[in-house]
């Protein structure tokens, strides 16, 4: 894994989908009036015969995609995460998920990554999609991973919800990094504190893990891009030898990764204290920029560190003293570092 | 796409109910529906009564099961399709006796598992979008089939219907044919006491559709509209004006068309009425 600040790429998803579609004539690309924003202008330019404008009509878009899937096509449906999940939920359940159809629902702008306010901030998308039987949920962290996710999800038998950052996407993993649908990725294999995360919060979790390690705490860090189905085996192994666990997500703390981890801990009787970092059962708000919201709603790297330190103290493993400070990472234009 | 190529020569291109009299076919649907619903003492008989001629004429005049797709958008109507499929020998009539019972393949509200149609569902207003998906798939793959979708007037209250109507009109999906059962019945009462849908035909025309406003119990009018749809350059809707009491004179005037109660005596009278007409 590379070090922050990270270089960024534009349109890693759009390029990956086009490359795959050029070899797979069964792929269709459907847009809900957000073509450039969802990086699929590349597809529209090159493969217009398989590009469908559904317009701002998400209910029709989802049910139509379900029927196209019944006819052997693999529709990739694109809009922002809020509109991909809340608005057509009944259509997804009844016309895609219950029939177990291979529709790929791609929702951009997770959590507070947009300053556009609660109407545009997908803070509950993972929770509501996780409640759907048979839904696969992928929360991507970086451009290398995205390039591998697209070819790996195309043949999943049932529906997939893919959650993607919009705009500049950091390059965190090394070239040739492989994404796994079945294996969470153990990035640091420590012991006492286990930090579990996915998507945009991976960068913050790395910063926090570094600060905690320097303060003498043994930290495991696990990237869990596939929130459903959860890689229970890896998580049980890592959590099983931890004294405290921190789940970190760019999402409400209700129903997402933190809840999935809490369920796992309870199901398996792992009996370990859990701190959930995320939006604390609250909406965010409109603002000038997203970093302000990550600060304001306790989603910064320092917030992750603080939460880990507090839960470690309660578990009797923090060494005492003050919370370690996260290293400041100055960024140039075109680079990315977490707040 | 090779897996969805045009139909091979030799596929049966005759309508499923070719040679059958649509009026008698409609009564056969009514009798099957009555027998399916009667053991429960209540059920979706009114839906079968109102759509009987629409479905019967679709089967006798147009729908070719090996080539076309059929969608039953309101899953509550599925018993009419179970009945029609049994009539044309595509569904074991003995299965009709299991309708709505525990562990039956014939659930009372159509679902993913329902035989006899290409798509149905119990959450209303979604079937037209599915029909559009089929029509679009046919266009993309160069397949020749038509897509027929039964929808109900109550469903016109769902926004998704109009999203779908816009899409089909804009994309000129001219191999898409909707049969609208305008029976003016929904759970809370007559549709027109709850929302004003009229002018229905003008609404669809304004969305880019060819609309035929017809008596939905008149097989000849339905047949003419279905024939016209084959030549249309626009998606077509047949607005069939119907009633949930048509075809059973014995039903009381105040019968709740959405969910008809069938005490034993009424069941006996209704069975006799239909059997004597079919004799």
């Amino acid at each position: 894994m590379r070090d922050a600040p990270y270089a960024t790429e534009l349109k890693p998803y759009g390029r990956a989908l086009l490359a795959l579609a050029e070899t797979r004539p069964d792929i269709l690309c459907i847009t809900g009036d957000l073509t450039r924003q969802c990086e699929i202008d590349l597809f529209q330019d090159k493969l217009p015969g398989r590009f469908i404008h559904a317009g701002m009509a998400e209910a029709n878009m989802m049910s139509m995609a379900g029927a196209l899937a019944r006819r052997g096509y693999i529709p990739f449906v694109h809009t922002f995460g809020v509109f991909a999940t809340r608005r057509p939920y009944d259509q997804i359940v009844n016309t895609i998920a219950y029939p177990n159809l291979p529709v790929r629902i791609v929702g951009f702008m997770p959590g507070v990554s947009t300053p556009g306010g609660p109407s545009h901030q997908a803070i509950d998308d993972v929770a509501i999609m996780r409640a759907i039987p048979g839904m696969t949920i992928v929360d991507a962290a970086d451009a290398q991973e995205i390039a591998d996710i697209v070819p790996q999800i195309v043949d999943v038998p049932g529906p997939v919800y893919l959650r993607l950052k919009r705009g500049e996407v950091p390059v965190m993993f090394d070239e040739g990094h492989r994404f796994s649908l079945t294996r969470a990725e153990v990035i640091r294999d420590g012991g006492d504190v286990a930090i579990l995360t996915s998507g945009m919060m991976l960068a913050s979790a790395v910063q926090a893990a570094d600060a905690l390690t320097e303060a003498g705490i043994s930290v495991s860090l696990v990237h869990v891009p596939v929130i459903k189905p959860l890689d229970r085996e890896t998580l049980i192994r890592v959590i099983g030898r931890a004294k405290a666990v921190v789940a970190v997500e760019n999402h409400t703390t209700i129903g997402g990764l933190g809840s999935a981890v809490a369920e796992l801990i309870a199901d398996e009787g792992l009996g370990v204290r859990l701190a959930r970092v995320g939006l604390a059962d609250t909406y965010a708000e409109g603002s000038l920029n997203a970093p302000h919201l990550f600060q304001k709603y306790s989603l910064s790297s320092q917030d992750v560190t603080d939460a880990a330190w507090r839960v470690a103290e309660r578990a009797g493993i923090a060494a005492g003293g003050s919370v370690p400070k996260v290293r400041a990472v100055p960024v140039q234009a075109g680079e990315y570092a977490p707040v | 796409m090779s897996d969805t190529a045009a139909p091979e020569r030799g596929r049966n291109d005759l309508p499923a109910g070719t040679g059958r009299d649509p009026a008698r076919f409609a009564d056969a649907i009514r009798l099957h529906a009555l027998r399916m619903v009667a053991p429960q003492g209540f059920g979706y008989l009114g839906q079968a009564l109102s759509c009987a001629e629409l479905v019967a004429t679709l089967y006798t005049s147009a729908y070719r099961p090996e080539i076309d797709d059929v969608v039953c958008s309101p899953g509550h109507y599925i018993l009419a399709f179970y009945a029609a499929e049994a009539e044309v020998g595509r569904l074991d009539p003995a299965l009709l006796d299991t309708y709505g019972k525990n562990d039956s393949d014939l659930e009372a509200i159509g679902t993913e598992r329902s035989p006899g149609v290409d798509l149905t569902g119990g959450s209303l207003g979604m079937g037209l979008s599915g029909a559009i998906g089929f029509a679009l798939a046919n266009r993309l793959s160069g397949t020749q089939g038509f897509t027929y979708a039964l929808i109900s007037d109550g469903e016109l209250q769902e926004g998704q219907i109009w999203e779908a109507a816009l899409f089909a009109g804009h994309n000129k999906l001219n191999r898409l044919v909707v049969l609208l059962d305008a029976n003016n019945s929904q759970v809370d009462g007559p549709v027109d006491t709850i929302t004003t849908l009229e002018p229905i035909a003008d609404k669809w025309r304004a969305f880019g559709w060819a609309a035929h406003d017809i008596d939905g119990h008149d097989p000849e009018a339905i047949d003419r509209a279905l024939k016209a749809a084959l030549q249309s350059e626009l998606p077509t809707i047949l607005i069939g004006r119907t009633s949930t009491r048509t075809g059973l004179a014995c039903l009381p005037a105040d019968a709740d068309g959405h969910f008809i109660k069938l005490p034993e005596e009424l069941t006996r009278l209704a069975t006799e009425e239909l059997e004597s007409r079919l004799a």
Side-chain angles (χ1 to χ4, degrees), chain A:
Chain A
M1 183 175 251
R2 301 163 203 234
D3 292 323
Y6 306 105
T8 60
E9 284 186 10
L10 291 172
K11 304 192 176 180
Y13 169 76
R15 280 185 273 115
L17 182 65
L18 176 60
L20 183 65
E22 282 173 333
T23 68
R24 289 286 299 259
D26 51 349
I27 291 177
L28 300 178
C29 183
I30 306 180
T31 180
D33 194 38
L34 287 166
T35 297
R36 187 173 48 77
Q37 293 77 0
C38 296
E39 309 178 4
I40 47 176
D41 46 340
L42 304 176
F43 194 115
Q44 183 177 26
D45 291 345
K46 285 282 176 61
L47 300 170
R50 284 189 272 146
F51 187 87
I52 299 166
H53 276 290
M56 282 186 285
E58 291 80 8
N60 181 60
M61 178 162 73
M62 293 299 174
S63 297
M64 185 172 74
L68 287 163
R70 287 174 192 272
R71 284 292 174 272
Y73 291 104
I74 313 264
F76 282 68
V77 181
H78 304 84
T79 178
F80 292 152
V82 276
F83 311 132
T85 56
R86 287 178 187 156
R87 191 177 267 271
Y89 192 69
D90 193 18
Q91 286 76 17
I92 293 170
V93 169
N94 278 289
T95 61
I96 294 174
Y98 175 47
N100 200 37
L101 294 166
V103 176
R104 285 71 183 94
I105 300 166
V106 186
F108 280 76
M109 294 205 316
V112 294
S113 66
T114 170
S119 63
H120 283 60
Q121 291 160 345
I123 64 167
D124 50 10
D125 54 333
V126 174
I128 62 178
M129 297 301 264
R130 204 164 72 86
I132 299 175
M135 183 65 68
T136 295
I137 301 173
V138 181
D139 188 22
D142 96 321
Q144 298 286 356
E145 184 171 63
I146 289 168
D148 199 32
I149 285 172
V150 176
Q152 291 218 40
I153 63 171
V154 71
D155 290 320
V156 171
V160 176
Y161 176 57
L162 173 58
R163 192 176 198 242
L164 294 178
K165 181 181 184 297
R166 176 185 170 193
E168 293 180 341
V169 180
V171 183
M172 301 178 63
F173 292 113
D174 296 320
E175 193 128 349
H177 172 82
R178 296 306 305 271
F179 160 81
S180 170
L181 268 167
T182 56
R183 279 275 167 245
E185 183 167 355
V186 180
I187 292 170
R188 306 271 169 84
D189 210 353
D192 288 344
V193 175
I195 302 177
L196 315 175
T197 192
S198 67
M200 286 183 69
M201 297 310 289
L202 176 60
S204 308
V206 168
Q207 297 293 103
D210 284 348
L212 293 160
T213 303
E214 283 170 23
I217 291 182
S218 170
V219 177
S220 295
L221 174 61
V222 186
H223 175 42
V224 190
V226 182
I227 298 173
K228 187 181 182 180
L230 206 59
D231 171 11
R232 298 175 70 88
E233 192 184 323
T234 298
L235 295 189
I236 289 168
R237 182 173 64 76
V238 172
I239 295 170
R241 59 165 197 262
K243 299 191 179 76
V245 179
V246 188
V248 185
E249 58 194 315
N250 176 21
H251 184 271
T252 169
T253 52
I254 294 176
L257 177 65
S259 291
V261 170
E263 289 159 16
L264 177 84
I265 290 171
D267 287 346
E268 301 296 332
L270 299 177
V272 62
R273 206 174 273 284
L274 168 69
R276 287 174 291 152
V277 176
L279 288 155
D281 196 20
T282 181
Y283 296 101
E285 67 206 36
S287 64
L288 179 64
N289 56 50
H292 171 72
L293 299 176
F294 279 89
Q295 291 282 7
K296 183 165 182 175
Y297 290 93
S298 302
L299 286 162
S300 71
S301 304
Q302 188 62 52
D303 289 311
V304 178
T305 310
D306 293 353
W309 188 263
R310 280 195 303 273
V311 74
E313 277 185 333
R314 293 186 74 189
I317 49 171
S322 57
V323 183
K325 289 294 161 204
V326 168
R327 175 175 65 99
V329 182
V331 291
Q332 310 287 325
E335 291 180 334
Y336 177 85
V339 178

Side-chain angles (χ1 to χ4, degrees), chain B residues 1 4 10-11 30 35 38 57 98 112-113 136 172 195 199 205 211 218-219 222 226 232 253 263:
Chain B
M1 254 136 266
T4 49
R11 271 193 174 179
R30 290 187 170 98
R35 288 173 173 158
T57 313
T98 71
E112 190 55 30
R113 300 164 62 240
L136 204 52
K172 296 193 164 48
T195 55
R205 286 182 189 124
D218 178 355
I222 298 165
L226 288 170
S232 176

Side-chain angles (χ1 to χ4, degrees), chain B residues 154-173:
Chain B
E155 286 188 297
L156 301 188
Q157 292 168 348
E158 293 283 1
Q160 184 176 358
I161 288 280
W162 301 103
E163 292 184 0
L166 272 177
F167 184 94
H170 175 80
N171 289 283
K172 296 193 164 48
L173 295 176

